[in-house]
Amino acid sequence: PAPAPSGSTLTNNGATINWHQLKLKHVVDSGDFNRAAVDVVFKEALKMEKVKPHTKESRILDGFIMSTLFYEPSTRTRLSFESAMSRLGGTVLSTESAGEYSSAAKGETLEDTIRTVEGYADCIVIRHFQEGAAARAAAVASIPILNAGDGPGQHPTQALLDLYTIQREIGRLDGIKVGMVGDLANGRTVRSLCMLLSMYSEVQVYFVAPEVVRMREDIKHYLSARGVRWTEVSDLREVAADVDVLYQTRIQRERFQNMDDYAAARGKYIIDKDLMRILSPNAVVLHPLPRVDEITTDVDSDPRAAYFRQARNGLYVRMALLKLCLADGHPEILL
Amino acid sequence: PAPAPSGSTLTNNGATINWHQLKLKHVVDSGDFNRAAVDVVFKEALKMEKVKPHTKESRILDGFIMSTLFYEPSTRTRLSFESAMSRLGGTVLSTESAGEYSSAAKGETLEDTIRTVEGYADCIVIRHFQEGAAARAAAVASIPILNAGDGPGQHPTQALLDLYTIQREIGRLDGIKVGMVGDLANGRTVRSLCMLLSMYSEVQVYFVAPEVVRMREDIKHYLSARGVRWTEVSDLREVAADVDVLYQTRIQRERFQNMDDYAAARGKYIIDKDLMRILSPNAVVLHPLPRVDEITTDVDSDPRAAYFRQARNGLYVRMALLKLCLADGHPEILL
Amino acid sequence: PAPAPSGSTLTNNGATINWHQLKLKHVVDSGDFNRAAVDVVFKEALKMEKVKPHTKESRILDGFIMSTLFYEPSTRTRLSFESAMSRLGGTVLSTESAGEYSSAAKGETLEDTIRTVEGYADCIVIRHFQEGAAARAAAVASIPILNAGDGPGQHPTQALLDLYTIQREIGRLDGIKVGMVGDLANGRTVRSLCMLLSMYSEVQVYFVAPEVVRMREDIKHYLSARGVRWTEVSDLREVAADVDVLYQTRIQRERFQNMDDYAAARGKYIIDKDLMRILSPNAVVLHPLPRVDEITTDVDSDPRAAYFRQARNGLYVRMALLKLCLADGHPEILL
């Protein structure tokens, strides 16, 4: 098989991870998840959709504390994690701008920060601008570390919520056809999603991207080595007619040096009402959000527009991950 | 009747709102409140004054989540709302500086932000620099939106807490005499309070303002059309001798281009110990706070200085509003 | 006796404070603590080490609200206080940057801010850049004020957690030998710790500091007047062989005008594996953190490296202080 893309150590057999015992230690790398582990998370996430206030289930993390350490801003991901913890009765210690964390400014290492904060909390959600930061945190932590994005590296909870949304909307993961659209070169979410999809059989992927932001070779090799069929297509309409899932992404302005290139790339693949007429009645449109104008707002009311449901699924997946992580040593949580 | 000032659609008959069923959907515009609705809120607020820790009432919002989206800073209003939610057992997701909300910076619309955040919370408290922002949020939201101030537009919870304080301190709203002092041109609170007072009978309003910041014509017309007597007076002492309520406001430096004008306006109407000798023994002094020097600190110990009680009333009114808003679909909250 | 150093009014007889009734009003000045008061706090802190989620003890502050007002950043202290409140079931209103508190920016006094915020919370934790700010807050507040550091003044909870750590690690406070190392001129923690240690008998203190940051005369006089033996020593190895506690501190770059002086001071007294060979097997190394390189990381795994346990003790001491403060008027908390 082709080597795993940088930052990933995907294992399909699960021999080295103890998820079959339902015990998550850390959530650092989407490559640590095998099918069995994913199944456990999704089964819990499904239960989480039904948690209501004033119920016993809504209090299972009562007395537990999650600390968020965000070294770069991500309000959406932070709020989603904080909501997840709150929905289960847990408490949050929030740090919106850990980059200005006074100790860090004084020269403290990430490792020392983690060893201090672990005295105050039961788990830590970390977002960092450096690839590998979450793994460094996990190496010294005695409590679970959940990676909320480490620079160009991993964002495993986003990858899981994307996969969960496909499962929920389409009803299966084996045999699905997925069209990935937009900035495939820089989009961390499409790269991670490809890696997770490779665990399933008979998956077909279409890449639809402006020339300057085409999917990179590492992921193509990764998919090929695992028997996933992939095709690069330039006509979005052709793909829309065939897929189960159309995964749109934002063209990131900051990636372009030439604003003409940006304008051309940005306007090239728009999902609008016209395109929705081509899309299968059973297919769905996903987007990791925020969206600018790559999906027109008149699509929002179409039942196949699943991106706001996808955002909400992030809540359920993170509730499931927090429950599983914190259950290690607290078996009463799983009852 | 005169047209309602911009941003208001005050209805006195309540025919178009369902507050008589005790169901608040949103709190966006103080013009949406009629006397019956105000009565419901005040009745709840009165109960809220008695909520103590370790009681059943202090847990009625257990499991509910309020998200604050503040696009401009307002620590006082934010803390008051967060305290209100906490006092009832609810949880808060806090965003102190939504203007730097990473998604907004990437070009996300307010509408998309609301549709995302509503997946994480049961209600949203929004403060925005643009007039009408709260109404835009309410138009797309499936959960209650509470307006914590939208630019030069509305700040309905402040208006309600001012009215509640008059009711609590004076014992009635019909027939009261109110002197409004200071920056009446720019003061959002006095404008909103005038609109709410117009629902009551036999109200008499005195405006006492430096020349450059006199009350605007729209509110004067509004009051006249509703039978509220108003008078502009230049001598604060004359007014103090006659009113039930003296509502002082801060002269806002940032409204003046000429600093001499500012200094003159600022020093013109000060409430001090001398003035308190003229004020009726049963009257009270209100101020929306923060105060600079328009009320001297030696007035604070006078029992008629009600401005810190007024700030605390903001807590009770917001507790009441949160309870009523969240009770829609959760009738157990009202039990 | 020598006059107490500025900011302190240490009373050893306790006649003027009512701690013997277990009622703390405020925690403003470490000089307010006598041995009896310290004993009460430490006894509670020891209990706090055993508080687990899903227990009755973990809910004793259910329904109580702590507001943090931080006028200068201190993520570590803020998180420690917020964790302490959460571990006992209480709720936190957080203000990370009260310096930009909108009301303060508009000219509001600290006193007015306190009188407003006390309407929203049951206690206030304040960090301020001005010495005496916490005492000013306490002078007007009707709820407990906890000083989390006021400029060059006091940081009483840090002093208490340092003392608690010595008690926990060494087993006694009378008769101990403590070596204080590093920036003794500017280190608020070593100054406060000296003052607390002076309440115990037969204490011996060694000061080990680069020339430019030697311990100041006021503390030396203070110790002498209370019968505490102190010695200035230039050889760290000589001290290490004799002490029970080696209290290392960070050399603060911002205190130096000449960077060569800084470099010399910074590298002069490092605790590394070599030094640990000299240290007694029963002694411990403390550090208020954050650490830069004045303790090498290969020391961390030594069981005598107690600085991360010290950080965690901060949690227990603050839990104890919050419980005692809030129990005034709520005796059910102490049951």
Side-chain angles (χ1 to χ4, degrees):
Chain A
S6 159
S8 160
T9 54
L10 191 76
T11 54
N12 268 312
N13 57 34
T16 58
I17 51 177
N18 62 353
W19 274 62
H20 57 286
Q21 299 159 292
L22 309 199
K23 287 181 187 166
L24 275 161
K25 175 67 183 176
H26 304 292
V27 179
V28 166
D29 189 323
S30 49
D32 294 339
F33 288 72
N34 61 8
R35 284 185 73 142
V38 167
D39 284 350
V40 171
V41 176
F42 287 6
K43 196 177 153 195
E44 284 295 338
L46 202 60
K47 286 194 251 171
M48 294 304 166
E49 298 191 18
K50 299 189 190 75
V51 174
K52 296 278 174 259
H54 294 136
T55 62
K56 191 184 156 213
E57 189 73 7
S58 75
R59 303 299 302 167
I60 57 169
L61 297 187
D62 180 36
F64 288 83
I65 297 176
M66 176 186 95
S67 180
T68 58
L69 279 180
F70 274 56
Y71 288 84
E72 61 174 22
S74 176
T75 313
R76 180 185 306 272
T77 301
R78 184 175 64 80
L79 289 182
S80 176
F81 264 113
E82 296 189 3
S83 178
M85 191 65 182
S86 301
R87 286 284 184 222
L88 294 174
T91 303
V92 175
L93 303 183
S94 187
T95 302
E96 277 193 64
S97 47
E100 302 159 31
Y101 186 93
S102 48
S103 298
K106 288 171 185 161
E108 185 174 66
T109 62
L110 175 63
E111 283 79 0
D112 273 18
T113 300
I114 295 294
R115 270 178 288 200
T116 302
V117 174
E118 75 180 5
Y120 308 147
D122 300 297
C123 66
I124 295 173
V125 176
I126 185 170
R127 174 115 180 185
H128 204 280
F129 47 88
Q130 283 182 332
E131 184 165 354
R136 281 172 55 204
V140 300
S142 62
I143 61 173
I145 300 293
L146 293 99
N147 183 1
D150 55 340
Q154 291 279 329
H155 192 1
T157 61
Q158 176 73 44
L160 284 168
L161 80 88
D162 288 343
L163 197 70
Y164 180 72
T165 303
I166 296 174
Q167 169 72 48
R168 286 289 279 131
E169 296 283 337
I170 307 300
R172 70 183 192 284
L173 292 166
D174 292 313
I176 57 161
K177 297 179 187 175
V178 180
M180 298 182 174
V181 189
D183 182 350
L184 305 185
N186 304 298
R188 189 168 50 184
T189 57
V190 288
R191 293 171 53 83
S192 295
L193 182 56
C194 281
M195 291 169 60
L196 286 183
L197 284 172
S198 74
M199 300 192 299
Y200 299 88
S201 59
E202 302 292 319
V203 172
Q204 164 80 49
V205 179
Y206 298 99
F207 296 130
V208 188
E211 185 62 30
V212 288
V213 287
R214 287 172 58 192
M215 179 56 78
R216 294 185 186 167
E217 292 304 311
D218 61 347
I219 291 288
K220 293 177 188 169
H221 287 154
Y222 188 89
L223 292 175
S224 296
R226 281 154 186 82
V228 176
R229 288 167 296 158
W230 59 266
T231 321
E232 291 191 291
V233 183
S234 63
D235 183 358
L236 176 58
R237 300 172 67 86
E238 179 188 324
V239 167
D242 192 42
V243 294
D244 301 296
V245 176
L246 208 51
Y247 193 108
Q248 175 68 294
T249 63
R250 184 172 61 92
I251 302 288
Q252 299 173 63
R253 181 183 208 145
E254 55 273 28
R255 303 295 184 175
F256 290 82
Q257 296 179 324
N258 182 323
M259 282 302 113
D260 288 342
D261 284 354
Y262 167 65
R266 179 180 170 186
K268 194 164 167 79
Y269 297 116
I270 303 285
I271 297 180
D272 57 15
K273 279 225 156 186
D274 273 352
L275 194 89
M276 293 301 278
R277 286 194 198 96
I278 297 166
L279 191 73
S280 154
N282 298 317
V284 292
V285 177
L286 302 188
H287 190 300
L289 302 179
R291 148 264 307 261
V292 183
D293 53 10
E294 60 276 5
I295 301 176
T296 58
T297 54
D298 55 8
V299 171
D300 295 358
S301 58
D302 189 301
R304 296 167 297 174
Y307 27 93
F308 290 115
R309 295 195 293 275
Q310 178 186 5
R312 190 177 298 237
N313 286 337
L315 176 67
Y316 306 133
V317 167
R318 288 174 180 124
M319 289 169 79
L321 291 168
L322 286 168
K323 177 177 173 181
L324 291 166
C325 281
L326 290 168
D328 192 11
H330 293 275
E332 76 276 14
I333 290 176
L334 294 176
L335 298 182
Chain B
S6 160
S8 162
T9 54
L10 192 77
T11 54
N12 269 313
N13 56 35
T16 59
I17 52 177
N18 62 353
W19 273 63
H20 56 288
Q21 299 160 292
L22 308 199
K23 286 179 188 168
L24 276 161
K25 176 67 183 173
H26 304 291
V27 178
V28 166
D29 190 322
S30 48
D32 295 338
F33 287 72
N34 60 9
R35 284 185 72 141
V38 167
D39 284 350
V40 171
V41 175
F42 287 7
K43 196 176 153 198
E44 284 294 338
L46 202 61
K47 286 195 251 170
M48 294 305 166
E49 297 191 18
K50 299 189 189 75
V51 173
K52 295 280 174 257
H54 295 137
T55 61
K56 190 183 156 215
E57 190 72 8
S58 75
R59 304 298 303 166
I60 57 169
L61 296 187
D62 181 35
F64 288 83
I65 298 176
M66 175 186 96
S67 180
T68 58
L69 278 180
F70 274 56
Y71 288 84
E72 62 175 20
S74 176
T75 313
R76 181 185 306 272
T77 301
R78 183 176 64 80
L79 288 182
S80 176
F81 265 113
E82 296 189 4
S83 179
M85 191 66 183
S86 301
R87 286 284 184 221
L88 295 174
T91 303
V92 175
L93 303 182
S94 187
T95 300
E96 277 194 62
S97 48
E100 302 159 32
Y101 187 94
S102 48
S103 298
K106 288 170 184 163
E108 185 173 67
T109 62
L110 175 63
E111 283 80 359
D112 274 18
T113 299
I114 294 294
R115 271 178 286 199
T116 302
V117 174
E118 75 180 6
Y120 308 147
D122 300 298
C123 66
I124 294 174
V125 176
I126 185 170
R127 173 115 181 184
H128 204 280
F129 46 89
Q130 283 182 332
E131 184 165 354
R136 282 171 55 205
V140 300
S142 62
I143 61 174
I145 300 293
L146 293 100
N147 183 1
D150 56 339
Q154 291 280 329
H155 192 1
T157 62
Q158 176 73 45
L160 284 168
L161 81 87
D162 288 344
L163 197 69
Y164 181 72
T165 302
I166 297 173
Q167 169 71 49
R168 285 290 278 132
E169 297 283 338
I170 307 300
R172 70 183 193 284
L173 292 166
D174 291 314
I176 57 161
K177 297 180 188 175
V178 181
M180 297 181 175
V181 189
D183 182 350
L184 305 185
N186 304 298
R188 189 168 50 185
T189 57
V190 288
R191 293 171 53 83
S192 294
L193 182 56
C194 281
M195 291 169 60
L196 287 183
L197 284 172
S198 74
M199 301 191 299
Y200 299 88
S201 59
E202 302 293 321
V203 172
Q204 163 81 48
V205 179
Y206 299 98
F207 296 128
V208 188
E211 185 63 30
V212 286
V213 287
R214 288 172 56 191
M215 179 55 80
R216 295 187 186 163
E217 293 303 312
D218 59 348
I219 291 288
K220 294 177 187 168
H221 287 154
Y222 189 88
L223 292 175
S224 296
R226 281 155 186 83
V228 177
R229 288 166 295 158
W230 58 266
T231 322
E232 290 191 292
V233 183
S234 62
D235 183 359
L236 176 57
R237 299 172 66 88
E238 179 188 323
V239 167
D242 192 41
V243 295
D244 302 295
V245 176
L246 208 50
Y247 193 108
Q248 175 69 293
T249 62
R250 184 172 61 92
I251 302 288
Q252 299 172 63
R253 181 182 207 143
E254 57 271 29
R255 304 294 184 178
F256 290 81
Q257 296 180 324
N258 182 322
M259 281 302 112
D260 288 342
D261 284 354
Y262 167 64
R266 180 181 170 185
K268 194 165 168 75
Y269 297 116
I270 303 285
I271 297 180
D272 57 14
K273 279 225 154 186
D274 273 352
L275 194 88
M276 294 301 278
R277 287 194 198 96
I278 297 167
L279 191 73
S280 154
N282 298 317
V284 291
V285 177
L286 302 188
H287 190 302
L289 302 180
R291 149 265 304 262
V292 184
D293 53 11
E294 60 277 5
I295 301 175
T296 58
T297 55
D298 55 8
V299 172
D300 295 358
S301 58
D302 190 301
R304 296 167 296 172
Y307 27 93
F308 291 115
R309 295 194 293 274
Q310 179 186 6
R312 191 176 297 238
N313 286 337
L315 176 67
Y316 306 133
V317 167
R318 289 174 180 125
M319 288 169 78
L321 291 168
L322 286 168
K323 177 179 173 180
L324 290 167
C325 281
L326 290 168
D328 193 11
H330 293 276
E332 77 276 14
I333 290 176
L334 294 177
L335 299 183
Chain C
S6 159
S8 161
T9 55
L10 191 76
T11 55
N12 268 312
N13 56 35
T16 59
I17 51 177
N18 62 354
W19 274 62
H20 56 288
Q21 299 159 292
L22 309 198
K23 286 180 188 166
L24 276 161
K25 175 68 184 175
H26 304 292
V27 179
V28 166
D29 189 321
S30 47
D32 294 338
F33 287 73
N34 60 9
R35 283 185 73 142
V38 167
D39 284 350
V40 170
V41 176
F42 287 7
K43 196 176 153 197
E44 283 295 338
L46 202 61
K47 286 194 250 170
M48 293 304 166
E49 297 192 19
K50 300 188 189 76
V51 173
K52 296 279 173 258
H54 295 136
T55 61
K56 191 184 156 215
E57 189 72 7
S58 75
R59 304 298 302 165
I60 56 169
L61 297 187
D62 181 36
F64 288 83
I65 298 176
M66 175 186 96
S67 179
T68 60
L69 278 181
F70 274 55
Y71 288 84
E72 62 175 22
S74 175
T75 313
R76 180 186 307 272
T77 301
R78 184 176 63 81
L79 289 182
S80 176
F81 264 112
E82 296 189 3
S83 178
M85 191 67 182
S86 301
R87 286 285 184 221
L88 294 175
T91 303
V92 175
L93 302 184
S94 187
T95 301
E96 277 193 63
S97 46
E100 302 159 31
Y101 187 93
S102 48
S103 298
K106 288 170 186 163
E108 185 173 67
T109 63
L110 175 64
E111 283 80 0
D112 273 18
T113 299
I114 295 294
R115 272 177 286 200
T116 302
V117 174
E118 75 180 6
Y120 309 147
D122 300 297
C123 66
I124 295 175
V125 176
I126 184 169
R127 174 114 180 184
H128 203 281
F129 46 87
Q130 284 182 332
E131 184 165 354
R136 282 172 55 205
V140 299
S142 62
I143 61 173
I145 301 293
L146 293 99
N147 183 0
D150 56 339
Q154 290 281 329
H155 191 2
T157 62
Q158 176 73 44
L160 284 168
L161 80 87
D162 289 343
L163 197 70
Y164 180 72
T165 302
I166 296 174
Q167 169 72 48
R168 286 289 279 132
E169 297 283 337
I170 307 300
R172 70 182 192 286
L173 291 166
D174 291 315
I176 56 161
K177 297 179 186 175
V178 180
M180 298 183 174
V181 189
D183 183 349
L184 305 186
N186 305 298
R188 189 168 50 185
T189 57
V190 288
R191 292 171 53 83
S192 294
L193 183 55
C194 281
M195 291 169 59
L196 286 184
L197 284 172
S198 73
M199 300 191 299
Y200 298 89
S201 59
E202 302 293 319
V203 171
Q204 164 80 49
V205 179
Y206 298 98
F207 296 129
V208 188
E211 186 62 30
V212 288
V213 286
R214 287 171 59 190
M215 178 56 78
R216 294 185 187 167
E217 293 304 311
D218 60 347
I219 291 288
K220 293 177 188 170
H221 287 154
Y222 189 89
L223 292 175
S224 297
R226 281 155 185 82
V228 176
R229 288 166 296 158
W230 58 266
T231 322
E232 290 192 290
V233 184
S234 63
D235 183 0
L236 176 58
R237 299 172 67 88
E238 181 188 322
V239 168
D242 192 43
V243 295
D244 302 297
V245 175
L246 208 51
Y247 194 107
Q248 175 68 294
T249 62
R250 184 172 62 93
I251 302 288
Q252 299 173 62
R253 182 185 207 142
E254 57 272 27
R255 303 295 185 178
F256 290 81
Q257 296 179 325
N258 181 322
M259 282 302 113
D260 288 342
D261 284 354
Y262 167 64
R266 178 180 170 187
K268 194 165 167 78
Y269 296 116
I270 302 286
I271 297 179
D272 56 15
K273 279 225 154 187
D274 272 352
L275 194 88
M276 294 300 279
R277 286 194 198 96
I278 297 167
L279 192 72
S280 154
N282 299 318
V284 291
V285 177
L286 302 188
H287 190 300
L289 302 179
R291 146 264 310 260
V292 184
D293 54 11
E294 60 276 6
I295 302 175
T296 59
T297 55
D298 55 9
V299 171
D300 294 358
S301 59
D302 190 301
R304 296 167 296 173
Y307 28 93
F308 291 115
R309 295 195 292 275
Q310 179 186 5
R312 190 176 299 238
N313 286 338
L315 176 68
Y316 305 133
V317 167
R318 289 174 180 124
M319 289 168 77
L321 291 168
L322 287 168
K323 177 178 173 181
L324 290 167
C325 281
L326 291 167
D328 193 10
H330 293 276
E332 76 276 13
I333 289 176
L334 294 176
L335 299 183

